[in-house]
Amino acid sequence: MAKALDGVKILDMTHVQSGPTCTQLLAWFGADVIKVERPGVGDATRGQLRDIPNVDSLYFTMLNANKRSVTLNTKADKGKEIFKRLIEECDVMVENFAPGALDRMGFSWERIQEINPRMIYASIKGFGPGPYEDCKVYENVAQCTGGAASTTGEIDGFPMVTGAQIGDSGTGLHLALGIVTALFQREASGRGQRVTCAMQDGVLNLCRVKLRDQQRLAHGPLTEYPQYPNGEFGDAVPRAGNASGGGQPGWIVRCKGWENDPDAYIYVITQAAAFAGLAKAIGHADWLEDPEWNTPEARLPKLDAMFEEIEKWTMTKTKFEAMNILNPLDVPCGPILSMKELAEEASLRATGTVVEVDHPERGKYLTVGNPIKLSDSPSDVDRSPLLGEHTDEILKSVLGMSDAEVAAAKEDGAV
């Protein structure tokens, strides 16, 4: 079956996580992603956090599926010539180098437009134009500068980063949307364009509700936050522990076995529409007739006491038993699932969200498949490429180079 991005060639100059997340997603949708790597070295993540000696790390394999690898020395004159020809042949170039790196190689946006006016040149940077635009950014720096860390953490505790890679992978997802949008516009305009995505911007976009709350704070206390009504609010959105950010009170409560299982917890949201069923399930049908409890406004000042009562009940159930009881009552809830539980979840295997991949050097491993499912463009997950595995193939099939030309390029140290 044809795939959504069949025929689209991506010149992938990315490394580590943010850029490879973007290009892997495009590869899953059918784009021919040509990953350019330094001869003998490759993407730095090939050797980072290795669990098995002398093979590509999971860090690399899980971010570079469905790609082809070509090694290219872009500092050599012949290497630059080959790179120029790749720009001529590809539709999109993606990079996440430090600011100005490609310009110093002699490939500014203006030069790229001269080489291929239809080229879409996409970049991830740490910051947009401004006082920090030349600063280097990693995942946690992006979370801290984008508003996530200041609003994450225990009440009155220090700022914390989240385990989800919202800076790197989140920005990669944003850039992928920008690229396919630019490809769509090119169908009408015939021209390529520059696509940029700053990690700070991407994180702030994912923290949109916190900027909402910052503006609400000017008009009074945030009544759904646990600081209300007994705590104090400053002039910025506070950290709120595990409180729900959607206006409906929620919290993580302990379940049976919590003493020995660090993930024996469940998140419960006391949505007003489902409160009657929740109250009856936990043995507090009396709340429904008590004006101290039977309205959201009455419950708001005593959320701590309410969740203590809910926890007394959940501690008599496993997290899955609690979920099985509360879900039919339309009570929003979810067990805290460990990575081990997610890796073993049969339904995620069935949908292709968790995929087992066979690698010629490291053997079988698990990866996360395409989270976006298209009915007419199924995503198969193929293993990541070995370093330079497709160099000859790409030089011949994409650039039309002869065997003699490929041999000469190798002799010159260009590939």
Side-chain angles (χ1 to χ4, degrees):
M1 180 182 291
K3 296 191 176 182
L5 295 180
D6 276 350
V8 174
K9 285 187 172 61
I10 311 287
L11 185 56
D12 183 2
M13 303 292 290
T14 69
H15 58 290
V16 191
Q17 184 177 169
S18 61
T21 295
C22 168
T23 52
Q24 178 172 252
L25 189 63
L26 300 174
W28 281 331
F29 286 130
D32 180 10
V33 176
I34 300 170
K35 185 175 180 70
V36 178
E37 302 184 77
R38 288 170 56 198
V41 179
D43 190 315
T45 58
R46 286 185 182 270
Q48 290 180 353
L49 304 177
R50 275 184 171 144
D51 56 319
I52 302 174
N54 303 316
V55 301
D56 289 338
S57 72
L58 289 169
Y59 197 0
F60 178 83
T61 63
M62 294 179 69
L63 288 165
N64 290 282
N66 295 57
K67 302 178 185 181
R68 296 197 287 172
S69 170
V70 57
T71 52
L72 184 62
N73 179 7
T74 53
K75 293 182 179 180
D77 290 342
K78 184 63 176 178
K80 287 184 178 179
E81 180 186 330
I82 292 172
F83 184 57
K84 174 178 174 291
R85 292 179 63 185
L86 286 169
I87 292 174
E88 292 172 344
E89 295 297 328
C90 290
D91 300 281
V92 181
M93 181 167 70
V94 190
E95 58 91 12
N96 61 333
F97 292 123
L102 279 180
D103 291 48
R104 291 189 293 272
M105 287 169 51
F107 293 96
S108 65
W109 169 228
E110 291 74 22
R111 176 62 179 139
I112 291 168
Q113 285 180 298
E114 291 174 1
I115 297 169
N116 182 355
R118 289 176 57 81
M119 170 65 77
I120 292 161
Y121 176 18
S123 301
I124 288 176
K125 301 302 175 192
F127 298 95
Y132 308 121
E133 62 184 301
D134 294 327
C135 296
K136 182 180 287 188
V137 175
Y138 287 93
E139 170 65 43
N140 290 349
V141 175
Q143 289 194 33
C144 290
T145 58
S150 69
T151 55
T152 302
E154 293 296 331
I155 302 164
D156 299 325
F158 54 83
M160 296 185 72
V161 297
T162 175
Q165 304 292 282
I166 61 175
D168 277 323
S169 288
T171 307
L173 296 174
H174 282 94
L175 190 69
L177 175 59
I179 290 169
V180 294
T181 303
L183 283 169
F184 183 80
Q185 186 173 13
R186 192 180 72 175
E187 293 298 303
S189 70
R191 300 189 309 274
Q193 62 180 293
R194 195 82 168 81
V195 180
T196 59
C197 193
M199 292 173 70
Q200 182 186 45
D201 297 359
V203 171
L204 181 56
N205 183 45
L206 298 177
C207 294
R208 178 177 297 268
V209 298
K210 298 301 182 180
L211 187 57
R212 172 203 68 191
D213 293 346
Q214 181 63 41
Q215 296 170 89
R216 292 173 55 223
L217 189 58
H219 301 283
L222 305 173
T223 57
E224 78 279 14
Y225 277 61
Q227 285 84 352
Y228 179 84
N230 302 314
E232 295 184 0
F233 287 88
D235 59 1
V237 175
R239 292 178 276 284
N242 289 311
S244 172
Q248 302 287 347
W251 203 254
I252 291 178
V253 290
R254 292 175 290 180
C255 293
K256 187 176 181 179
W258 68 272
E259 300 91 342
N260 300 310
D261 181 354
D263 297 305
Y265 294 82
I266 190 170
Y267 198 97
V268 178
I269 296 176
T270 59
Q271 187 179 32
F275 186 75
L278 173 62
K280 291 175 184 177
I282 68 171
H284 270 294
D286 56 295
W287 284 352
L288 303 178
E289 304 299 326
D290 186 346
E292 290 293 312
W293 290 96
N294 62 6
T295 65
E297 293 75 19
R299 294 189 290 272
L300 205 53
K302 40 185 174 288
L303 293 181
D304 287 349
M306 179 183 68
F307 282 110
E308 285 177 9
E309 292 302 307
I310 293 172
E311 189 173 63
K312 289 178 183 177
W313 176 79
T314 58
M315 288 172 65
T316 68
K317 315 290 182 188
T318 69
K319 60 188 178 184
F320 297 109
E321 290 171 342
M323 186 178 184
N324 288 337
I325 292 170
L326 296 179
N327 263 338
L329 303 175
D330 290 329
V331 176
C333 63
I336 307 305
L337 296 179
S338 69
M339 280 296 145
K340 182 176 184 297
E341 289 169 321
L342 289 167
E344 296 171 352
E345 174 55 50
S347 65
L348 296 179
R349 302 287 186 100
T351 59
T353 299
V354 175
V355 182
E356 185 176 79
V357 181
D358 201 2
H359 189 277
E361 293 184 348
R362 67 171 299 120
K364 293 182 178 180
Y365 65 93
L366 293 182
T367 192
V368 180
N370 194 344
I372 305 168
K373 322 294 185 187
L374 299 186
S375 61
D376 281 0
S377 183
S379 295
D380 302 315
V381 178
D382 299 324
R383 67 167 176 86
S384 59
L386 302 176
L387 178 60
E389 180 178 353
H390 305 96
T391 298
D392 289 14
E393 175 183 299
I394 290 167
L395 296 181
K396 294 176 183 178
S397 66
V398 177
L399 302 185
M401 293 174 65
S402 66
D403 289 341
E405 289 173 320
V406 172
K410 291 179 179 179
E411 182 70 22
D412 290 342
V415 296

